[in-house]
Amino acid sequence: QVVDAAMVDGVSLLTAMQRGLRAQGAETAPPGANLLDCGFPFFDTYDCKDGGHIALGCIEEPFFRAFLGVAGLDAADFPDRWDRANWPAQKARLTAHFMTRTRDDWAALAGGTDACLTPVLSFEEAAAHPHNTARGSYLGPSDAAMPAPAPRFSRTPAGVRRAPPERGEGGREALGEWGFDAAAIDKLKALGLGFLE
C-alpha cells in the first residue's frame, strides 16, 4: 500500500476545532480576539517579572478554579469571564498579576496542580524537562537534542540507527549512489556546496 501522509493534510486536520467553532459562530472576531487565539484572557501567554513567559490555558471551570487558587486570585475579580466585553480588563488584570513573580516562581506554584499554568521553555529547557527526559522525547545532548521518532508504535518501534552526520559527511557517497560521476561531484564541490566539505 501507499501511505500518503502530506503535511498540508495534517495541518488542515489541526484546524478542525477552530473550523467547528467558526461554523457555530463562536469564533468570528479578527485573529487574536477569539477564544483559542489569545483573545480569551485565560488562554494566552504572559510576561513575568524576570522577562520569562508563562502560558495559561484554563478554559474549563475546574481548571479555572485551580488556577485562581494557585494565583491567589478571587473569582469576583473576573465577572462573567465569557463576555468578550470583559476580556480587555481581565487580560490587563492578569498581565499585571503575572509580573509580580518570575516564570519559575509561577511554574513552581502551579506544579502538580490542574491550574493549566506552565512555563514557556527554551528549546534546551524543553529537552531537559523531567517529563520529556522520562519519556525519552529527545535524543542527544540538551544543547543539540533532536526529537525522538514519533508517533510510537508498540509492535514496530522506530529507532535511530546513528548520530546525525557532521557537515559534509557522506555527501560525496550519497551523490555517487544517486548516479553522479566523480567529475560532476568535483564540479559541485568547486561551487562551494556545504554538503561536500
Side-chain angles (χ1 to χ4, degrees):
Q1 70 177 342
V2 173
V3 177
D4 183 346
M7 288 190 292
V8 70
D9 296 342
V11 170
S12 298
L13 185 61
L14 291 174
T15 68
M17 180 184 286
Q18 283 73 26
R19 289 178 176 278
L21 290 169
R22 289 177 65 83
Q24 296 169 10
E27 284 214 359
T28 57
N34 294 289
L35 179 68
L36 299 178
D37 64 5
C38 300
F40 185 51
F42 299 94
F43 197 84
D44 201 352
T45 56
Y46 290 91
D47 296 336
C48 299
K49 183 178 183 177
D50 61 344
H53 302 87
I54 201 85
L56 178 62
C58 58
I59 296 175
E60 296 87 348
E61 195 64 22
F63 304 129
F64 172 64
R65 296 287 171 192
F67 163 68
L68 292 177
V70 163
L73 294 169
D74 192 311
D77 293 335
F78 304 98
D80 195 4
R81 70 188 186 113
W82 298 107
D83 184 344
R84 286 179 194 267
N86 295 332
W87 291 3
Q90 291 176 359
K91 190 168 279 200
R93 172 79 170 95
L94 291 172
T95 297
H97 194 67
F98 282 118
M99 286 298 288
T100 65
R101 296 179 187 268
T102 68
R103 180 200 72 171
D104 292 344
D105 289 342
W106 285 115
L109 283 171
T113 74
D114 285 335
C116 298
L117 183 66
T118 58
V120 176
L121 302 176
S122 69
F123 281 110
E124 293 78 17
E125 290 171 320
H129 190 277
H131 181 81
N132 291 330
T133 300
R135 284 195 51 81
S137 298
Y138 293 88
L139 304 172
S142 63
D143 64 340
M146 297 301 289
R152 299 176 187 198
F153 300 95
S154 62
R155 289 189 298 159
T156 56
V160 176
R161 293 186 292 269
R162 64 178 186 83
E166 294 294 328
R167 181 178 173 90
E169 179 185 348
R172 180 174 287 276
E173 293 80 5
L175 288 173
E177 290 172 9
W178 296 335
F180 287 80
D181 63 23
I185 294 171
D186 288 340
K187 185 175 180 181
L188 289 171
K189 183 171 182 171
L191 294 173
L193 300 179
F195 63 87
L196 290 172
E197 290 178 5

